[in-house]
Amino acid sequence: MAHATPKLNDAKHTTGQEAKKTLIFHSLAKTFYPTAKTFNQASIPVKGRVVDELGKPIPGATILVKGTSNAAAADANGNYTLDVPDGASTLVVSSIGFTPQEVAISSRTTIDITLKTDVKSLNEVVVVGYGTQRRAEVTSAVSTVKAEDFNQGGTRNALDLIQGKVAGLSVTRTQGNNPNSSPAIQLRGIVSVNGSLAPLIVIDGIPGGNLDLLQQDDIESFDVLKDGSAAAIYGTRGNAGVILITTKKGKAGPARFDYSTYVQHEAVAKRPRFLNAEEWRAYSADPNNPKASQMRDLGASTDFYNLLINKDNLSQYHNLAMSGGSNTGSYRASMYYNDADPIAIQNWRKQYGGRLSLNQRGFNDMLSAQINLATNFNQANLLGGRGGDFRAVSSPNNESSDFENALGRNPTQPVFNPDGTYYEEGSTTNPIGRLNQEKNRRDQNTTSADVRFTLEPIEGLRATAFGALIRDAQNDNEYRQAGSRFSQIGTLNGTPVKGTAYARKRNYLENNYTFESTLEYNRTIHEDHTLRALGGYSYQYRVFEEFSGSNSGFLNDVFQENNLGAGNFLQLGKSSLGSNKEDNRLIAFFGRVNYSYKDKYIAQFILRHEGSSRFGANHKYGDFPAASIGWTISKENFMSGLTVINDLKLRAGYGITGNQGIPNYQSVVRLGTGNQYLNDDGIWRQTYGPNNNPNPDLRWERKKEFNVGVDFALFNSRLTGTVDVYRRRTSDLLGNFNTQLPPFVQSSLYTNVGVIDNNGVELTLSGTVLKKKNFSWGMDFTGSTQSNKLVSFSDDVFRVTFLTFGDIGGFGALGPSIRTIEGGPLGSFYGKRFAGFTPEGRWLFNKANGEAVTADKIVPNDDYAYIGNGIPKYYMSWNNRFQYKNLDLTLFFRGKFKYDILNLQQVFFGNKVYLPNNVLKDAITRNNQINDALQFSDYYLEPGGFVKLDNVTLGYNFKFKTPLVRNLRLYLTGRNLLTFTKYRGVDPEVDDTGLAPGIDGRGFYPRTRSFTAGLNIGF
């Protein structure tokens, strides 16, 4: 971006940030002050100290002789020495986070300077689509989280760093710290039924960036575009919001080395309370036990759950970064190793890789180039820690959860038979045997490369060309030994394996290509009017292909999965072979215009015209406009007397975004294979036919969103905050609807019908509670509320009475637990209303007229009712930062409130009918009176609200006088330490995203507390 000659006494034109590096201030001064003079006459030394309002030193503060290139930087104690030429009259003093100040020299040789804290919300740089803005210029709902505000300790995914940090953004780890799982993310509620629900991830300008390429020490900031007026610049992928991630880059200055490391141990926070062997034996002898005759004492006392726990787990992480540069170029290179050793056995992930960033300026400072390269190699053990239902293994795709299987086993079962083989019973699988006799590994390499050229031929005009490639390659290897339980009871394509082992290989390759170019023009007119216009073109192509094959009938385990042809199921025609290839394209033209008058009246206009190959011939392209305005009220003359208000800005924005997150080729006829037939000539021939109905009118879902917000800073900027109120409507929902045969060739059509409404309020506060010379206490708070409603899912042609989600599954076939009707809220539980028990222990439920009857007299639908909702109504986080001299302490609390949880563990394992499988202790205590079949009702809905002490970090920053060590920090972090809740299950933080929220399944992957010891050191 070209700059006019700045005014040093005007905060919005400060060059303090550009001059912060001590070794390059001469060249920077010449760059940004081309009219500066070089004095050759005699000079006098001036010294002093730069401090803040509390008298604390400001290391690195820049002291510049106005009108010259003479400058100095304050040392660690704030002291400086500077040669001042005769005739010079003014010093300009600046530092990041402080308001620049001009100080008269007046023949003094000692000058101490006190800088005032700047209003951070006004001057921080915010990343928006295809560019940056100062916070003072932002008119949309955009939240920024910098590296210093990230969640501390070890993380499994980059988004863990901002969990609870952004109002309206839900980040939930549905499988705890399983390193091979990803968090569920959702911004401002549910925006689709069948389309994408997650925000678009953009990493260093690459739409659809891969989170595997990010390590926590390589990330500079997250910027979240929350409303439609901000996200419209990304068109068809902006419905669920946009998360922009910026990685760290090299900076001008001497070479720097930064090393970060930690070790982390996890412990089970809470385990389900099942009967142990002694309790099992005691209850089997209870004369009132209706299942006593079926409960066999097998002589052992086994805690299968405990055997699945990796008690000696210890994860480690190492990241070494090197950076530096000059005023014409900079670099940053990092390399890392991350060994995630979690709580479950056979469930690890090891990854290593690196990231390289190069920046170079030349061609008389008019041309700049930036190259980024990142790669991640990871090896994952996918065998342990998997989720699923408690059911027998009968095929490769019908697999149970190990922890659920372990807890449901008779605790008197031994692990081994007397002959050393694994003890097996019925149609279940010994989980310890499975983990020792099977293999499921993935080798994966993800690489990203991008290059950006920027040309500034004249002041204010900038042209860029950007190209990027992301390549993701996966190689899966699976093997089940001939002696495994699967080989005994499993099948492949309907044929029993019968002890001949099972092998499978899968290869997957995906390439994402991006090319974007922009032209931007900036102009300041009469110093008060700022105009900025941006136009651009975007092209993105994604193609992936996969191949898989599986076989059985191996004579031994020698080859394992490395020779699929050795299995005789291939000759029998019973092996499996499959491949697939798909692609899609996006092409867009976009523009944005920004106008500002004295940072007082601000406006932004966006239009994106985008086409997608996923949609019908009649609707390939769509338009996505947006407009937003801002009024900085605090700059008005009538506000000058209100010293308590430092900043007050009112914002309003409206934008339209789209959703193209659906499967490929839904608008065209897709041919599929049918049966093979033997022809008269003796040759078998394959048949083909249409798999779907074409729809040339298929188009994207469209969300219209209106947002009003207020930004403020009060009490000398000790309290800053933001309030946003939004209302959004998503129309043209995509879904499958029943069709008539004929004229259609298939029974369903993928088309656009339906409307969803969301609205909510978000609050963000940040303040300094106490600030003394050696002690400070800072506080951050985020809170939000939301509601989601399905307005309609029918039109004149297609009608749907209701939608169902959250199928309970398993033994009992209890059906879906969530039903949504037109005009009703999303996420509502629908079922029977509990009314008590008969003296014999049979269920009683209320009919529609209120009469209490047994389950067999309840008429589905007629007597069912809406009994709860799984979407939290309120979200909250509260962060406290304490600092005493070099010691700091962080206490971070998170909470969700006003929602219900369906406790499926209680539904199944809390009922004695599940015996002789093991049951929860509640089955013979709290639920002891139940002597009836499994039922789903509001009896199993529990309040899910909670508050967690989610992060406690204690750190110490060492200060060194030697210039060799810039910083050294040691810290200890505890995660998920305390949970305050009425919920009786393992953890109240269940998945609250999507259309089946609030269901605590039966997978039981352990929720853990983690304890981390870490070190950060810079040279």
Side-chain angles (χ1 to χ4, degrees):
M1 183 184 303
H3 296 274
T5 302
K7 295 182 176 181
L8 290 177
N9 59 349
D10 189 337
K12 71 179 181 179
H13 292 295
T14 181
T15 60
Q17 292 190 18
E18 290 86 348
K20 66 179 180 177
K21 293 299 179 182
T22 60
L23 295 186
I24 59 165
F25 48 73
H26 286 78
S27 59
L28 285 173
K30 293 177 181 178
T31 300
F32 290 97
Y33 302 97
T35 59
K37 301 175 183 178
T38 300
F39 288 77
N40 295 317
Q41 60 263 44
S43 60
I44 58 173
V46 173
K47 63 181 180 179
R49 193 165 185 251
V50 184
V51 297
D52 64 13
E53 297 152 295
L54 298 176
K56 297 178 66 175
I58 306 177
T62 300
I63 304 91
L64 174 72
V65 179
K66 187 176 182 180
T68 77
S69 59
N70 289 22
D75 63 17
N77 297 313
N79 297 318
Y80 74 92
T81 301
L82 176 66
D83 289 333
V84 177
D86 265 349
S89 60
T90 305
L91 298 180
V92 179
V93 187
S94 61
S95 182
I96 295 175
F98 296 88
T99 302
Q101 184 177 341
E102 293 193 1
V103 181
I105 298 174
S106 302
S107 301
R108 293 180 292 172
T109 57
T110 301
I111 303 175
D112 294 331
I113 302 112
T114 300
L115 293 182
K116 292 183 178 181
T117 303
D118 202 353
V119 181
K120 179 182 178 182
S121 60
L122 292 179
N123 294 292
E124 71 174 355
V125 175
V126 177
V127 180
V128 295
Y130 304 100
T132 60
Q133 294 177 343
R134 289 186 303 114
R135 176 62 69 180
E137 301 171 327
V138 174
T139 54
S140 302
V142 181
S143 291
T144 301
V145 184
K146 302 288 188 181
E148 59 266 26
D149 297 319
F150 291 168
N151 290 320
Q152 301 183 62
T155 59
R156 297 297 192 218
N157 184 281
L159 294 178
D160 293 343
L161 296 169
I162 58 170
Q163 186 180 34
K165 297 290 186 176
V166 178
L169 178 65
S170 176
V171 179
T172 305
R173 292 211 64 93
T174 58
Q175 290 195 49
N177 264 3
N178 184 342
N180 296 312
S181 68
S182 298
I185 57 174
Q186 188 169 279
L187 180 64
R188 289 189 166 182
I190 301 168
V191 295
S192 183
V193 173
N194 293 293
S196 175
L197 297 172
L200 172 68
I201 303 295
V202 181
I203 301 175
D204 285 337
I206 306 176
N210 193 311
L211 292 173
D212 284 343
L213 293 168
L214 296 173
Q215 298 298 306
Q216 60 191 65
D217 288 294
D218 292 329
I219 301 174
E220 182 73 31
S221 66
F222 292 81
D223 292 270
V224 183
L225 311 184
K226 299 199 287 188
D227 72 336
S229 66
I233 195 75
Y234 287 101
T236 63
R237 293 166 292 178
N239 257 17
V242 183
I243 299 177
L244 305 170
I245 304 175
T246 303
T247 61
K248 294 178 180 178
K249 305 294 189 299
K251 298 177 181 179
R256 296 171 48 149
F257 295 86
D258 292 278
Y259 173 66
S260 298
T261 183
Y262 68 73
V263 292
Q264 179 171 287
H265 176 72
E266 297 179 37
V268 176
K270 183 180 179 181
R271 62 170 286 178
R273 182 62 174 89
F274 276 66
L275 298 178
N276 59 35
E278 291 182 3
E279 293 165 338
W280 171 277
R281 291 186 175 98
Y283 189 63
S284 66
D286 188 334
N288 297 317
N289 178 3
K291 292 289 189 88
S293 62
Q294 302 175 39
M295 297 175 64
R296 295 190 303 152
D297 186 347
L298 300 173
S301 295
T302 307
D303 187 344
F304 282 96
Y305 183 94
N306 191 55
L307 293 175
L308 294 176
I309 298 299
N310 178 17
K311 303 174 190 62
D312 297 324
N313 70 85
L314 190 66
S315 299
Q316 59 176 308
Y317 166 81
H318 306 272
N319 188 303
L320 175 64
M322 301 160 284
S323 63
S326 66
N327 60 332
T328 60
S330 62
Y331 66 91
R332 185 179 188 274
S334 67
M335 59 193 75
Y336 62 86
Y337 175 72
N338 193 340
D339 180 3
D341 186 23
I343 196 68
I345 63 174
Q346 299 280 16
N347 179 218
W348 44 258
R349 181 183 181 94
K350 303 177 190 297
Q351 53 185 339
Y352 58 94
R355 176 174 287 272
L356 174 66
S357 175
L358 301 174
N359 294 271
Q360 183 67 44
R361 296 186 65 88
F363 197 51
N364 198 23
D365 232 22
M366 292 189 295
L367 180 65
S368 64
Q370 181 182 95
I371 297 175
N372 296 307
L373 177 65
T375 188
N376 175 284
F377 297 89
N378 76 73
Q379 297 174 323
N381 188 346
L382 305 177
L383 186 63
R386 67 187 183 189
D389 294 329
F390 181 51
R391 52 194 177 197
V393 176
S394 59
S395 74
N397 298 316
N398 188 16
E399 299 170 337
S400 64
S401 158
D402 292 315
F403 285 97
E404 180 184 356
N405 194 352
L407 288 164
R409 299 184 78 79
N410 179 342
T412 69
Q413 286 182 6
V415 177
F416 298 99
N417 293 308
D419 62 0
T421 60
Y422 289 99
Y423 179 88
E424 303 286 2
E425 184 179 54
S427 60
T428 64
T429 299
N430 184 323
I432 307 303
R434 189 189 82 83
L435 293 175
N436 287 323
Q437 294 179 312
E438 296 185 10
K439 168 186 175 182
N440 190 359
R441 304 283 178 86
R442 171 173 293 172
D443 291 321
Q444 183 175 2
N445 172 227
T446 306
T447 299
S448 170
D450 66 81
V451 58
R452 183 188 303 273
F453 293 98
T454 303
L455 179 66
E456 300 181 59
I458 60 174
E459 182 180 350
L461 182 64
R462 171 186 290 182
T464 66
F466 174 74
L469 165 66
I470 302 177
R471 184 181 187 274
D472 184 22
Q474 301 174 12
N475 181 23
D476 291 356
N477 294 273
E478 187 174 357
Y479 188 73
R480 303 179 183 189
Q481 296 176 12
S484 69
R485 183 62 168 165
F486 175 81
S487 289
Q488 298 170 26
I489 65 174
T491 63
L492 176 60
N493 292 326
T495 301
V497 175
K498 291 184 178 180
T500 63
Y502 167 82
R504 175 178 178 267
K505 291 185 73 72
R506 170 185 172 269
N507 295 106
Y508 175 89
L509 177 63
E510 177 180 331
N511 286 306
N512 278 278
Y513 304 89
T514 301
F515 174 77
E516 294 179 329
S517 60
T518 61
L519 186 65
E520 183 178 9
Y521 181 68
N522 302 322
R523 180 73 183 272
T524 299
I525 305 172
H526 300 301
E527 298 185 357
D528 293 333
H529 303 270
T530 301
L531 182 67
R532 180 162 52 185
L534 171 78
Y537 166 80
S538 177
Y539 172 87
Q540 194 159 15
Y541 176 64
R542 173 179 178 262
V543 57
F544 73 87
E545 54 187 299
E546 60 183 333
F547 172 85
S548 64
S550 59
N551 201 8
S552 288
F554 299 94
L555 296 179
N556 52 54
D557 294 322
V558 173
F559 294 115
Q560 296 194 19
E561 77 281 5
N562 298 309
N563 187 355
L564 291 182
N568 62 26
F569 271 40
L570 181 64
Q571 288 75 24
L572 298 175
K574 297 296 183 179
S575 61
S576 289
L577 189 67
S579 63
N580 183 36
K581 185 175 183 178
E582 295 184 16
D583 68 348
N584 65 81
R585 286 178 174 82
L586 281 173
I587 297 175
F589 302 88
F590 56 89
R592 178 174 59 213
V593 176
N594 294 84
Y595 169 77
S596 172
Y597 174 70
K598 292 185 175 181
D599 280 348
K600 184 189 300 185
Y601 309 115
I602 314 158
Q604 176 175 275
F605 305 93
I606 292 173
L607 177 63
R608 185 174 178 111
H609 180 67
E610 186 164 48
S612 170
S613 62
R614 286 178 171 169
F615 294 100
N618 299 334
H619 295 281
K620 284 295 183 187
Y621 280 85
D623 294 314
F624 304 95
S628 57
I629 56 174
W631 176 26
T632 308
I633 304 172
S634 55
K635 288 184 176 290
E636 297 290 354
N637 292 332
F638 60 79
M639 296 290 292
S640 59
L642 299 176
T643 57
V644 70
I645 300 176
N646 307 109
D647 178 55
L648 181 63
K649 181 169 69 175
L650 177 66
R651 298 177 281 102
Y654 177 82
I656 298 176
T657 53
N659 190 345
Q660 60 103 43
I662 62 171
N664 297 315
Y665 315 128
Q666 297 298 308
S667 68
V668 296
V669 175
R670 304 190 307 277
L671 289 179
T673 57
N675 293 324
Q676 293 184 352
Y677 292 93
L678 181 63
N679 286 255
D680 294 339
D681 56 7
I683 298 176
W684 288 88
R685 288 188 171 86
Q686 176 71 59
T687 60
Y688 295 87
N691 277 351
N692 68 297
N693 292 310
N695 184 3
D697 293 320
L698 191 70
R699 58 191 181 276
W700 27 63
E701 301 174 344
R702 295 169 66 87
K703 176 172 64 66
K704 301 176 181 179
E705 182 171 9
F706 180 68
N707 189 98
V708 176
V710 177
D711 302 325
F712 57 87
L714 309 174
F715 313 117
N716 197 26
S717 300
R718 290 187 65 169
L719 176 64
T720 61
T722 296
V723 180
D724 279 291
V725 181
Y726 65 88
R727 185 172 185 84
R728 43 171 46 174
R729 168 163 287 194
T730 306
S731 58
D732 294 333
L733 297 179
L734 292 160
N736 270 307
F737 294 84
N738 294 331
T739 57
Q740 184 177 352
L741 298 174
F744 291 95
V745 297
Q746 291 291 341
S747 60
S748 66
L749 177 70
Y750 207 76
T751 189
N752 299 84
V753 177
V755 176
I756 284 178
D757 274 356
N758 314 92
N759 59 76
V761 180
E762 298 165 352
L763 171 65
T764 300
L765 296 173
S766 183
T768 302
V769 181
L770 191 62
K771 191 171 185 180
K772 300 294 184 180
K773 184 174 182 179
N774 293 322
F775 178 78
S776 65
W777 175 15
M779 189 182 295
D780 302 306
F781 175 86
T782 66
S784 64
T785 178
Q786 61 168 272
S787 65
N788 307 269
K789 181 173 71 174
L790 181 67
V791 178
S792 67
F793 207 59
S794 301
D795 62 11
D796 295 337
V797 178
F798 302 100
R799 300 203 62 81
V800 173
T801 306
F802 56 84
L803 301 174
T804 60
F805 309 97
D807 191 80
I808 296 174
F811 174 64
L814 301 181
S817 59
I818 291 176
R819 174 181 287 193
T820 303
I821 60 172
E822 291 187 330
L826 296 167
S828 293
F829 293 107
Y830 184 77
K832 306 180 187 73
R833 294 170 293 163
F834 174 68
F837 298 99
T838 68
E840 300 78 25
R842 298 185 65 193
W843 293 101
L844 289 175
F845 301 109
N846 286 318
K847 290 184 69 66
N849 60 10
E851 179 186 2
V853 300
T854 53
D856 58 308
K857 295 182 175 61
I858 293 292
V859 180
N861 299 328
D862 291 348
D863 293 323
Y864 284 10
Y866 287 95
I867 54 179
N869 194 282
I871 300 177
K873 189 173 183 180
Y874 305 107
Y875 299 78
M876 178 275 293
S877 72
W878 179 36
N879 190 47
N880 293 270
R881 305 177 308 278
F882 303 93
Q883 184 165 355
Y884 176 72
K885 293 185 177 179
N886 296 337
L887 191 69
D888 59 81
L889 174 67
T890 299
L891 301 176
F892 182 57
F893 296 85
R894 286 192 302 113
K896 301 179 183 181
F897 309 94
K898 298 290 289 183
Y899 68 104
D900 301 294
I901 296 178
L902 171 57
N903 191 336
L904 288 185
Q905 300 150 27
Q906 289 283 335
V907 171
F908 289 88
F909 298 108
N911 189 328
K912 294 191 298 289
V913 72
Y914 223 74
L915 292 167
N917 297 306
N918 202 3
V919 293
L920 288 164
K921 191 173 183 179
D922 281 353
I924 63 172
T925 54
R926 175 180 178 268
N927 303 329
N928 187 50
Q929 64 190 114
I930 303 176
N931 291 305
D932 205 349
L934 302 181
Q935 295 286 348
F936 160 57
S937 74
D938 56 0
Y939 180 85
Y940 293 111
L941 291 182
E942 300 183 34
F946 70 88
V947 173
K948 286 191 174 189
L949 177 55
D950 199 48
N951 190 304
V952 176
T953 297
L954 178 65
Y956 189 84
N957 294 284
F958 292 86
K959 301 295 183 180
F960 296 95
K961 295 183 178 180
T962 172
L964 298 178
V965 180
R966 298 191 337 270
N967 61 276
L968 191 155
R969 171 177 166 81
L970 293 173
Y971 66 89
L972 299 173
T973 296
R975 300 287 297 270
N976 193 29
L977 297 180
L978 294 173
T979 301
F980 305 94
T981 183
K982 294 181 179 180
Y983 181 59
R984 295 180 302 110
V986 174
D987 193 327
E989 191 165 17
V990 298
D991 189 359
D992 55 21
T993 65
L995 296 152
I999 300 176
D1000 194 358
R1002 309 194 312 276
F1004 293 111
Y1005 190 92
R1007 298 300 191 269
T1008 63
R1009 295 187 179 98
S1010 63
F1011 303 92
T1012 308
L1015 164 71
N1016 306 114
I1017 185 169
F1019 301 98

